[in-house]
Amino acid sequence: MYIVTPQIDTALPSSLHHIPRRHFLLRLSTICPRLCLHNTDHNHASGNIILIQKTKLTIATAILGSALCSQSALADLYAGAAVTYAGAEFQHTSSSATTDASPLLVQAQLGYFFTDYFAVEGRYGTSIQRSGGLNVDHTASALLKGNVPVTDQLSMYGLLGYSSVTIDQQDVGSGSDSGMSFGLGMHYALSGYTAVTFEFLNNLNSDKARLNGLSLGFQYRF
């Protein structure tokens, strides 16, 4: 058993009066690194001190790394909202006629950037008014986003994914369909956290339903 005797004055500085006894030795190592060991095995004692210092450095590094990773992950998450002027076509199963309309949609977006060039994004939208007898009850999309920076503020992106759309025709009925989606857009950063977007997205193009539109959006990056 080793008895550690610090070579310092018996009167502690006033800055150490508040330190609990269980933390004193750790703080002491930063104030007085030269310790006098009553045991003659100084090499073993020095090894213990070095091991403690390395352990403290490892813990500090791990905490800092964890904090940086958490901040990086948060910086890659974004949310947004968009208004879409849409073009829609719908043919109900009970009718042979196709109805065209131009409903106005609102959409919520949530995405995550894995790198500066690649992201995934989910969207949900609905029309805020009936147009030409058609109402888009909902549209939900899961999209892959390829991003190409042009300048520090401007970037272009492409979208590819899958959408589900439900359209209601007044006095006739509603129907749902799903299929591949694709589009192109422009992203302009207003600051490090906010941006505006302008894009064209073809949500769905099937035999009984079609939905596409031009969107103006706002995004916030956490």
Side-chain angles (χ1 to χ4, degrees), residues 125-148:
T126 185
S127 60
I128 57 177
Q129 64 177 11
R130 189 178 292 274
S131 172
L134 295 185
N135 185 71
V136 179
D137 287 344
H138 79 261
T139 173
S141 303
L143 303 167
L144 301 177
K145 188 176 194 177
N147 191 62
V148 180

Side-chain angles (χ1 to χ4, degrees), residues 77-84 106-112 120-125 141 143 145 157 159 187 195-199 201 215-220 222:
L77 181 67
Y78 66 92
V83 177
T84 303
V106 290
Q107 294 187 64
Q109 306 168 349
L110 183 65
Y112 184 86
V120 294
E121 186 172 307
R123 301 182 178 185
Y124 182 86
S141 303
L143 303 167
K145 188 176 194 177
Y157 61 85
L159 298 167
H187 175 282
V196 292
T197 61
F198 181 72
E199 69 175 42
L201 181 67
S215 300
L216 180 64
F218 176 83
Q219 291 182 348
Y220 182 85
F222 295 97

Side-chain angles (χ1 to χ4, degrees), residues 2-184:
Y2 298 99
I3 299 175
V4 180
T5 304
Q7 293 180 336
I8 60 174
D9 294 338
T10 55
L12 293 175
S14 59
S15 62
L16 297 180
H17 288 169
H18 68 284
I19 301 176
R21 288 178 63 85
R22 64 180 181 275
H23 297 320
F24 177 70
L25 289 179
L26 291 176
R27 290 293 300 271
L28 186 60
S29 66
T30 64
I31 298 172
C32 184
R34 296 176 59 88
L35 300 176
C36 178
L37 303 179
H38 285 230
N39 190 282
T40 59
D41 192 358
H42 296 289
N43 291 334
H44 183 70
S46 298
N48 286 341
I49 294 172
I50 294 173
L51 180 60
I52 290 174
Q53 292 175 340
K54 286 184 176 180
T55 302
K56 290 163 63 179
L57 179 60
T58 301
I59 293 174
T61 303
I63 293 173
L64 179 60
S66 176
L68 290 176
C69 288
S70 297
Q71 291 177 359
S72 177
L74 286 176
D76 295 330
L77 181 67
Y78 66 92
V83 177
T84 303
Y85 179 75
E89 291 183 1
F90 179 66
Q91 181 181 351
H92 194 266
T93 54
S94 64
S95 174
S96 59
T98 299
T99 302
D100 298 335
S102 300
L104 191 64
L105 310 180
V106 290
Q107 294 187 64
Q109 306 168 349
L110 183 65
Y112 184 86
F113 271 99
F114 291 95
T115 70
D116 289 339
Y117 306 98
F118 177 70
V120 294
E121 186 172 307
R123 301 182 178 185
Y124 182 86
T126 185
S127 60
I128 57 177
Q129 64 177 11
R130 189 178 292 274
S131 172
L134 295 185
N135 185 71
V136 179
D137 287 344
H138 79 261
T139 173
S141 303
L143 303 167
L144 301 177
K145 188 176 194 177
N147 191 62
V148 180
V150 178
T151 68
D152 290 341
Q153 290 181 288
L154 179 66
S155 63
M156 307 297 291
Y157 61 85
L159 298 167
L160 180 65
Y162 196 81
S163 295
S164 174
V165 177
T166 298
I167 298 177
D168 177 74
Q169 184 175 356
Q170 191 172 22
D171 300 327
V172 178
S174 63
S176 299
D177 206 352
S178 57
M180 296 297 296
S181 303
F182 58 90
L184 292 172

